[in-house]
Amino acid sequence: MTPETLAKVRIYWLAMVACIGGFLFGYDSGIVGGVLTFKSFQTDFRYTDSQVTQVNSLTVGIQQLGCLVGCFAIWPVANRHGRKPAIILSSIVFCIGVVIEVINTHSRPAFYVGRVICGLGVGASSVIIPIYMAEMSPKEIRGRLGSSYQFLFTWGIFTSYWVDYGVKFMPDQTMQWQIPIGLQMVPGGLMGLGMLTLKESTRWLIFHGDHEAAWESLTWIRAGDSDAIRAEFDEMIDGVESDRRIQESFHPKELLEKNNFKRVLIAFGVFLAQQSTGSTALAYFGPQFFALLVGKGDQNLLLTAIFGAIKVAACGIFVIFIAERFGRRTLFISGAAVMACCMITTSAVVKLRPPPGNGTVTSAGIATVFLIYLDIIFYNWSWGGLPWAYVSEIFPPRIREPGVGIAVGTQWAFNLMYSFTTPYMMDGMGWGTFLLFGAFDLVIVIFVVFCIKETQGRMLEEINASFEGHGGGQVKDMSGGGTENYGETTVSSLKERTKR
């Protein structure tokens, strides 16, 4: 095997191991909605029909609370001990949670504890894995490998829906819900075991002054020692030192400065908008949503499974054909506008032609299912993965880490809010739930028109200059000695960072 081939094998192996975390995230997010419809689960955990809404809310929402805590709690581990130990720890914590979940204790509080612990592992891995992949990937394929995490997330959801659909035909016994819950252990365990075969992040090792181990890590993942690899290593050292100088003496109060605070508010708004489209709620409570459209019945798990397949296809099309061909604003606006039409029309049809309740699927029900499928396609073409890229682009290096951290926290916080409230919305509002999400989508369009700056195809320094009010990238002589400034960044510095 040639060094070039071996390098490809190793980097794609690294991506596969890391993206198991994305699959785990998706499977864990999607599996519980179907499990909550099983009579066997209700029987084993001993709650009545009048408690269904409360159990649905707590079972999904309490895990999102764990995710919110986990995404912040892992930072000290990852920064002090390394990316690799942090991901392995996330795997161990998640597997402990699965064990607690899958034991038939007949105790809902015990099951909830397992959900929280699983959430800690999922939240932690969702933050560290993308960072680890970005720090280890060659610049030529960094974007493609980064997109793979989101793609595997949709595959995880897809798999969870079909597992739920498959075990639906089992007898109403404990194994019916234990199998889909227990299968979480497979990606959870593989993620941790796979990390044992990989090296620590080269850039993390450089940051902590261990250049010998960093060189070993880089030559292993690049499968060789060449002039090009030595040049890349030197660039990494320069880049880490440059970032260290940029971030030196940072104080959190800097986030409250006018231009920085503007970015924080936009990042906050972007992830609030993402969660307010209703698509995350659909992913968690798919069978329950389809019951509003076509009535209760076994067909809802099948409709949810097809929903998962459409998510996978839509995400794949986005990654391959759409992501870099259209502007961020164009995708955000068109996505929210189409989703608004889908949700508002769905609410009107369900209001005027509600499902008969006898298991018969009417033409009105089929039409609304089609609208929800169209909604999720446009979500994956816009608000699904694009907010993550957009938020990472708008922060300058000095505040990028805390800025993105706040954005991720916002995502989990509103994920938590909608996880708790959606079952009560469906129970109390019925068709009005779709109308509410449609109204949110219209507000999102207005938010993008007035608040979102275009970043597609622009250098990070140019984006920074547009926020700082420097004309979006005019270059002029500011020193009299031949030094040119680009906003607040020198052109020589700009070229150096671009090279990296």
Side-chain angles (χ1 to χ4, degrees):
M1 186 181 296
T2 65
E4 293 78 9
T5 302
L6 181 58
K8 288 182 179 179
V9 169
R10 286 179 175 174
I11 192 59
Y12 282 110
W13 169 248
L14 180 146
M16 186 172 70
V17 170
C19 287
I20 290 175
F23 183 93
L24 167 66
F25 187 4
Y27 184 90
D28 185 68
S29 299
I31 199 67
V32 73
V35 167
L36 290 169
T37 68
F38 297 159
K39 193 68 178 176
S40 58
F41 185 84
Q42 183 174 347
T43 300
D44 281 341
F45 287 95
R46 300 171 181 173
Y47 59 93
T48 64
D49 290 343
S50 63
Q51 295 174 292
V52 165
T53 300
Q54 179 191 62
V55 172
N56 288 355
S57 173
L58 284 173
T59 301
V60 176
I62 205 165
Q63 185 178 32
Q64 308 315 307
L65 177 60
C67 290
L68 176 61
V69 174
C71 78
F72 289 110
I74 199 64
W75 278 112
V77 178
N79 288 336
R80 182 171 182 176
H81 300 287
R83 316 309 193 197
K84 181 177 173 179
I87 296 172
I88 293 173
L89 177 62
S90 301
S91 171
I92 293 171
V93 169
F94 179 82
C95 290
I96 291 172
V98 174
V99 171
I100 296 173
E101 282 184 330
V102 83
I103 296 173
N104 188 13
T105 59
H106 303 291
S107 167
R108 292 199 306 279
F111 186 80
Y112 294 151
V113 168
R115 293 288 292 169
V116 171
I117 294 174
C118 281
L120 291 172
V122 170
S125 66
S126 71
V127 172
I128 300 304
I129 286 176
I131 293 174
Y132 177 70
M133 289 181 64
E135 290 177 342
M136 292 293 282
S137 301
K139 59 185 177 182
E140 295 81 7
I141 59 172
R142 186 180 299 134
R144 186 190 310 160
L145 296 183
S147 299
S148 299
Y149 184 84
Q150 174 69 16
F151 191 46
L152 265 290
F153 170 81
T154 62
W155 272 102
I157 290 181
F158 167 79
T159 304
S160 70
Y161 290 160
W162 284 99
V163 169
D164 278 343
Y165 180 66
V167 300
K168 177 67 178 177
F169 299 101
M170 293 177 61
D172 290 334
Q173 297 175 357
T174 299
M175 288 291 290
Q176 185 186 40
W177 64 264
Q178 283 181 326
I179 289 174
I181 294 293
L183 283 175
Q184 295 177 105
M185 189 73 77
V186 176
L190 288 176
M191 180 177 71
L193 292 173
M195 286 303 301
L196 295 175
T197 68
L198 303 174
K199 299 290 186 181
E200 180 55 81
S201 163
T202 303
R203 285 178 171 83
W204 182 88
L205 290 167
I206 292 173
F207 185 85
H208 286 267
D210 194 345
H211 286 201
E212 183 178 347
W215 174 246
E216 181 183 348
S217 171
L218 182 64
T219 54
W220 180 83
I221 197 64
R222 302 293 188 263
D225 176 357
S226 65
D227 290 341
I229 293 172
R230 290 185 179 278
E232 182 183 5
F233 188 65
D234 290 340
E235 287 185 356
M236 285 184 178
I237 293 175
D238 290 343
V240 169
E241 290 304 317
S242 175
D243 289 345
R244 192 199 302 271
R245 288 192 297 272
I246 289 172
Q247 296 168 10
E248 191 175 7
S249 303
F250 168 79
H251 193 281
K253 69 180 181 182
E254 293 178 37
L255 294 171
L256 300 179
E257 295 173 2
K258 180 181 177 182
N259 291 319
N260 291 341
F261 190 58
K262 184 194 305 181
R263 288 179 249 237
V264 171
L265 288 179
I266 289 174
F268 178 92
V270 165
F271 277 111
L272 169 58
Q274 183 198 52
Q275 297 302 306
S276 299
T277 61
S279 297
T280 300
L282 276 166
Y284 291 145
F285 301 105
Q288 292 84 348
F289 269 104
F290 284 113
L292 293 175
L293 304 179
V294 299
K296 294 182 178 180
D298 292 343
Q299 75 277 356
N300 293 325
L301 284 174
L302 177 60
L303 292 173
T304 304
I306 297 172
F307 175 85
I310 291 172
K311 281 179 68 72
V312 170
C315 186
I317 291 171
F318 174 78
V319 170
I320 298 171
F321 299 109
I322 296 176
E324 297 300 335
R325 284 179 168 81
F326 300 94
R328 312 291 193 236
R329 279 170 52 87
T330 299
L331 292 175
F332 280 147
I333 293 172
S334 60
V338 173
M339 287 189 288
C341 293
C342 290
M343 285 291 187
I344 293 172
T345 305
T346 297
S347 69
V349 173
V350 176
K351 169 64 175 175
L352 298 173
R353 298 287 182 87
N358 57 7
T360 302
V361 179
T362 64
S363 58
I366 294 173
T368 55
V369 169
F370 172 80
L371 287 169
I372 293 303
Y373 288 165
L374 183 63
D375 178 275
I376 204 60
I377 289 172
F378 275 84
Y379 172 78
N380 278 280
W381 288 357
S382 55
W383 290 93
L386 202 55
W388 300 93
Y390 182 81
V391 165
S392 67
E393 292 170 335
I394 65 174
F395 288 106
R398 183 169 178 81
I399 64 166
R400 184 167 295 142
E401 187 169 304
V404 173
I406 290 172
V408 172
T410 300
Q411 189 267 344
W412 282 119
F414 285 103
N415 193 314
L416 169 66
M417 184 188 77
Y418 283 115
S419 298
F420 273 122
T421 59
T422 296
Y424 292 100
M425 289 163 56
M426 289 189 290
D427 188 44
M429 299 170 62
W431 62 269
T433 306
F434 299 102
L435 180 61
L436 180 63
F437 284 127
F440 286 161
D441 287 328
L442 291 177
V443 174
I444 290 169
V445 171
I446 298 171
F447 164 70
V448 175
V449 169
F450 289 100
C451 299
I452 296 296
K453 295 177 180 289
E454 184 56 71
T455 60
Q456 195 269 339
R458 305 176 74 184
M459 297 173 62
L460 296 181
E461 286 78 9
E462 185 179 0
I463 296 168
N464 183 47
S466 70
F467 276 96
E468 298 289 343
H470 296 305
Q474 285 188 334
V475 181
K476 57 183 180 179
D477 189 342
M478 297 288 289
S479 67
T483 302
E484 295 173 296
N485 279 356
Y486 191 99
E488 295 180 347
T489 306
T490 64
V491 167
S492 59
S493 173
L494 183 153
K495 290 178 179 177
E496 181 181 351
R497 292 184 202 174
T498 303
K499 186 192 303 180
R500 290 197 297 271

